[in-house]
């Protein structure tokens, strides 16, 4: 069976072969139709994540979309599903293969009509954006939201999900002009450039356009997060969910304490399967309503090595 394989931590995945999985207790077999490459897949495969160095070889892929192959009462054969795996975080194989054996509690049935490639592209990135806004960030209707890293899938989803949840002004901050233009098209009120400087004061001046914000969604950390804290209103919240810009951030104490700000962390790994399924279902409902999308590119799984480190639109592997 065709599969992507991590053979050496730190090297890109290669296309190879893996035995067909057999269905274990409490599992279903899924014929995989789409599996995205996300930052977590690369981080785990690098061997530098806080989950440790993975045992190799293994099939990467922390999520995928497909059709149930051998049905149960709750998940009949042919049901379209999204599923999560722990590949790279715990021993075992992930989604980047033709057939995956998945515990039932990691499977979410999809309504008919959802584009499997788009759902795969959004997946856990959109779940994180939604839960960072709501569960962790406590977004209330009318609040002003600043989305950092608005060019990434988390950022694209956060802009659209904040808009449909009734946010007031939405500021989208990204490095590239193209990302800013896209954020405006997706519903942001203002686009701010993060490019050309790591100076916190200068970035804060740019982000301050239009006044203070109530909530920051931060997949970047580094200088952009430190700058974003400076534009929060008193008691405002910043939810950090990633370190795409840097693992550390030059945050000053006076900024945090002078306005009693709340600096919050978020990980999808803390969700219960029910919370994750609820968030994923909301994401798919928004897709079906035409209110949520993300830039993505389908690529045959056999070409995985060439796209493993691709920076740009989300790559979705097609087995
Ligand atoms: N905590 C969780 O549960 C969770 C869940 C999903 C994702 N995440 C994390 O969230 C982050 C974003 O995920 P994603 O799915 O949106 O990834 P993505 O689609 O690959 O986007 C990454 C974004 O980071 C930006 N970026 C990279 N380096 C940067 C820098 N030095 N300065 C400013 N921007 C920079 C890129 O900007 P350009 O577009 O301008 O190049 C891009 O927009 C990742 O760190 C990921 O691990 C966390």
């Amino acid at each position: 069976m065709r599969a992507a394989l991590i053979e050496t931590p730190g090297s890109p995945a290669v296309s190879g072969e893996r035995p067909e999985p057999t269905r274990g207790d409490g599992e279903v077999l899924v014929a995989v139709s789409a599996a995205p490459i996300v930052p977590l897949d690369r981080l785990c495969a690098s061997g530098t994540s806080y989950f440790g160095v993975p045992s190799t070889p293994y099939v990467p892929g922390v999520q995928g979309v497909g059709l149930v192959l051998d049905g149960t009462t709750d998940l009949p054969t042919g049901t379209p599903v999204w599923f999560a795996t722990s590949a790279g975080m715990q021993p075992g194989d992930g989604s980047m293969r033709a057939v995956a054996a998945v515990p039932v509690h990691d499977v979410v049935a999809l309504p008919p009509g959802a584009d499997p490639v788009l759902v795969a592209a959004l997946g856990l990135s959109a779940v994180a954006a939604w839960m960072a806004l709501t569960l962790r960030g406590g977004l209330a209707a009318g609040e002003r939201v600043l989305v950092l890293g608005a060019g990434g899938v988390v950022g694209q989803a956060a802009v659209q999900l904040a808009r449909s949840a009734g946010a007031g002004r939405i500021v989208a901050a990204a490095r590239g002009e193209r990302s800013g233009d896209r954020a405006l098209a997706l519903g942001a009120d203002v686009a701010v450039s993060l490019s050309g400087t790591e100076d916190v004061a200068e970035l804060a001046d740019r982000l301050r356009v239009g006044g203070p914000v109530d909530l920051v969604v931060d997949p970047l950390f580094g200088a952009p997060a430190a700058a974003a804290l400076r534009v929060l209103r008193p008691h405002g919240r910043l939810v950090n969910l990633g370190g795409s810009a840097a693992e550390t951030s030059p945050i000053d104490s006076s900024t945090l304490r002078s306005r009693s700000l709340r600096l919050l962390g978020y990980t999808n790994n803390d969700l219960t399967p029910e919370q994750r399924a609820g968030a994923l279902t909301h994401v798919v409902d928004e897709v079906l309503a035409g209110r949520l999308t993300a830039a993505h590119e389908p690529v045959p799984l056999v070409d995985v090595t060439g796209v493993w480190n691709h920076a740009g639109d989300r790559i979705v592997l097609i087995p």
Side-chain angles (χ1 to χ4, degrees):
M1 178 192 74
R2 176 73 63 191
L5 293 173
I6 298 295
E7 292 180 330
T8 312
S11 295
V14 296
S15 174
E17 290 291 323
R18 205 69 165 156
E20 277 292 322
T22 50
R23 173 178 159 174
D25 273 354
E27 291 184 337
V28 284
L29 293 181
V30 177
V32 180
S33 45
I37 304 175
V38 301
L40 181 59
D41 295 316
R42 291 190 209 101
L43 179 67
C44 290
S46 74
T48 63
S49 81
Y50 58 76
F51 301 103
V53 180
S55 306
T56 52
Y58 76 97
V59 176
V62 296
Q63 59 196 315
V65 173
L67 298 174
V68 173
L69 269 181
D70 58 342
T72 64
T73 315
D74 292 337
L75 289 168
T77 300
T79 304
V81 293
W82 175 91
F83 63 94
T85 87
S86 302
M89 297 176 272
Q90 290 173 22
D93 284 340
S95 60
M96 296 180 194
R97 52 183 164 156
V99 178
V102 190
V104 170
H105 58 78
D106 287 329
V107 176
V108 181
L110 297 174
D115 172 1
V117 181
L118 175 57
V119 171
L122 285 162
L124 287 167
S125 297
V127 164
W130 177 238
M131 293 309 234
L133 284 165
T134 56
L135 181 78
R136 201 76 174 115
L139 176 66
E143 284 196 317
R144 299 150 299 186
V145 178
L146 166 58
V147 177
L148 300 179
V153 177
V154 167
Q156 293 172 61
V159 165
Q160 296 165 88
L161 292 169
R163 174 58 71 224
S164 59
R169 182 166 46 83
I170 299 173
V171 179
R175 286 189 303 189
E177 201 176 316
R178 181 172 158 261
S179 298
D181 290 344
R182 185 167 58 200
L184 292 172
L186 293 175
D189 298 292
V190 188
V192 174
S193 172
L194 293 175
S195 71
T197 183
E198 298 219 337
D199 183 80
V200 174
E202 184 179 337
L203 288 171
D205 282 344
R206 294 184 194 174
L207 295 173
R208 213 170 268 121
V209 54
V213 299
D214 302 286
L215 175 63
V216 178
V217 175
D218 169 33
L220 300 181
F221 218 45
L229 283 169
R230 296 190 184 187
V231 305
L232 275 173
R233 55 116 166 127
H235 301 279
R237 300 91 74 196
L238 181 147
V239 182
N240 175 263
L241 59 157
S244 288
E247 184 57 22
T248 59
S249 176
I251 292 168
D252 37 60
S253 165
S254 56
T255 298
L256 271 183
R257 69 179 192 271
S258 63
R259 277 169 288 130
S260 298
L261 300 179
R262 277 174 283 171
L263 181 55
L264 304 162
Y266 172 83
T267 172
N268 280 335
N269 291 334
D270 214 23
L271 298 176
T272 64
E274 293 75 23
Q275 286 174 317
R276 188 180 57 197
L280 197 275
T281 301
H282 177 74
V283 164
V284 176
D285 286 348
E286 290 295 296
V287 168
L288 288 172
R291 291 190 291 261
L292 180 60
T293 190
H296 62 280
E297 188 186 334
V299 171
L301 186 144
V302 288
D303 295 332
V304 62
T305 303
V307 294
W308 184 253
N309 288 315
H310 171 85
D313 293 349
R314 166 106 344 133
I315 299 295
V316 181
L317 297 174
I318 311 298

